[in-house]
């Protein structure tokens, strides 16, 4: 149980295009989903927190107009990187949480984004 | 501010020996601590957790120790195996935000045969 999937696992795009990444909780309903970014040899940095049916809360320094988050259902959240640039190349990881709090937060396998 | 840091970025251990990975945290109000293992190209995998009202917790081959006095957390892995090679992150949940997980900088554990 408690499986979180991400799609795609890898994506390569041209500079200036937009890329959508999906995060799904496969066997549970997630009241909250989180998006992290991880640059090579660095830690995971929280980008935003999203609750189903409401606007996402972004961490300081994360541009909400560039990283669009939609949490349309209790099992799906999407992150769209708009007008992607090479500096947006990173490993994007989502996590999904039940109402149990951080002890019930499960991570996806990550999406490797490469912007050419 | 909120931050969780690690003492060493890399650790090399002989196969079969015990590994100890250390972590310092700065937020004395943190209520919950977690250790994650991340293999290359994968998401973090939960290893073990501990709440602030405990000082030790054991799992299968792993033990987490929490010293709130000096704000120090450690992960002990018994009889380290090649499959333990990964980056290990400590993480904390600040009391002010029960859901938000703040990750430390990570320690890469490598196993010598």
């Amino acid at each position: 149980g408690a499986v979180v999937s991400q799609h795609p696992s890898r994506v390569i795009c041209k500079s200036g295009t937009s890329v959508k990444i999906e995060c799904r909780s496969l066997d549970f309903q997630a009241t909250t989903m989180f998006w992290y970014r991880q640059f090579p040899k660095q830690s995971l940095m929280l980008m935003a927190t999203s609750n189903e049916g409401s606007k996402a809360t972004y961490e300081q320094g994360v541009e909400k107009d560039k990283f669009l988050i939609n949490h349309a259902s209790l099992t799906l959240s999407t992150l769209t990187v708009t007008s992607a640039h090479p500096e947006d190349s990173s490993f994007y990881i989502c996590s999904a949480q039940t109402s149990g709090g951080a002890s019930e937060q499960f991570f996806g396998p990550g999406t490797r984004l490469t912007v050419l | 501010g909120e931050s969780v840091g690690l003492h060493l970025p890399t650790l090399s251990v002989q196969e079969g020996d015990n590994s100890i990975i250390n972590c310092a945290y700065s937020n004395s109000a943190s209520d919950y601590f977690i250790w994650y293992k991340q293999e290359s190209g994968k998401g973090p995998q939960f290893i073990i957790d501990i709440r602030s009202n405990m000082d030790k917790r054991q799992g299968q081959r792993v033990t987490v120790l929490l010293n709130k006095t000096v704000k120090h957390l450690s992960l002990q892995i018994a009889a380290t195996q090649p499959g333990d090679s990964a980056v290990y992150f400590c993480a904390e949940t600040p009391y002010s935000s029960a859901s938000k997980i703040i990750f430390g900088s990570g320690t890469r554990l490598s196993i010598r045969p």
Side-chain angles (χ1 to χ4, degrees):
Chain A
V3 177
V4 177
S5 70
Q6 285 183 235
H7 178 80
S9 57
R10 289 177 177 270
V11 57
I12 300 172
C13 70
K14 292 183 178 180
S15 184
T17 61
S18 294
V19 176
K20 180 184 285 188
I21 302 170
E22 292 184 348
C23 176
R24 293 181 185 273
S25 57
L26 297 185
D27 50 4
F28 67 99
Q29 292 187 327
T31 55
T32 308
M33 288 185 168
F34 302 84
W35 286 97
Y36 295 81
R37 180 168 53 185
Q38 185 178 30
F39 292 110
K41 298 184 180 181
Q42 294 189 24
S43 186
L44 283 75
M45 297 298 296
L46 180 65
M47 299 175 68
T49 302
S50 74
N51 292 293
E52 185 263 340
S54 61
K55 289 184 179 180
T57 302
Y58 290 81
E59 294 298 304
Q60 191 173 7
V62 178
E63 300 174 58
K64 62 179 182 180
D65 294 331
K66 180 168 183 62
F67 299 100
L68 302 179
I69 293 172
N70 184 280
H71 192 161
S73 76
L74 286 172
T75 59
L76 173 65
S77 175
T78 60
L79 168 69
T80 301
V81 183
T82 62
S83 186
H85 292 283
E87 57 267 29
D88 297 323
S89 298
S90 188
F91 195 48
Y92 291 87
I93 302 170
C94 74
S95 67
Q97 181 174 286
T98 67
S99 58
S103 62
E104 296 294 323
Q105 190 173 139
F106 306 98
F107 286 82
T111 296
R112 174 75 59 193
L113 170 63
T114 303
V115 185
L116 302 177
Chain B
E2 301 166 346
S3 69
V4 180
L6 299 183
H7 294 304
L8 297 171
T10 60
L11 177 65
S12 179
V13 174
Q14 188 79 34
E15 181 178 351
D17 287 352
N18 297 336
S19 302
I20 299 176
I21 302 172
N22 295 303
C23 176
Y25 63 95
S26 61
N27 190 342
S28 57
S30 289
D31 181 63
Y32 177 61
F33 303 88
I34 314 156
W35 280 100
Y36 291 96
K37 172 185 180 183
Q38 187 181 30
E39 296 174 297
S40 181
K42 297 183 179 179
Q45 176 188 351
F46 173 92
I47 301 174
I48 192 167
D49 58 2
I50 189 167
R51 295 209 172 268
S52 59
N53 60 352
M54 302 171 67
D55 53 20
K56 180 179 180 178
R57 191 158 187 233
Q58 288 184 292
Q60 188 176 14
R61 278 201 313 119
V62 294
T63 300
V64 55
L65 299 177
L66 174 63
N67 185 331
K68 294 181 288 294
T69 302
V70 295
K71 292 186 285 188
H72 183 268
L73 195 68
S74 69
L75 175 70
Q76 300 178 4
I77 304 173
T80 311
Q81 303 168 358
D84 295 327
S85 293
V87 177
Y88 290 81
F89 293 98
C90 66
E92 65 174 327
T93 299
Y95 184 77
S96 60
S97 176
S99 304
K100 193 170 164 179
I101 294 177
I102 307 298
F103 281 80
S105 56
T107 294
R108 178 172 295 281
L109 177 64
S110 62
I111 314 303
R112 302 192 303 272

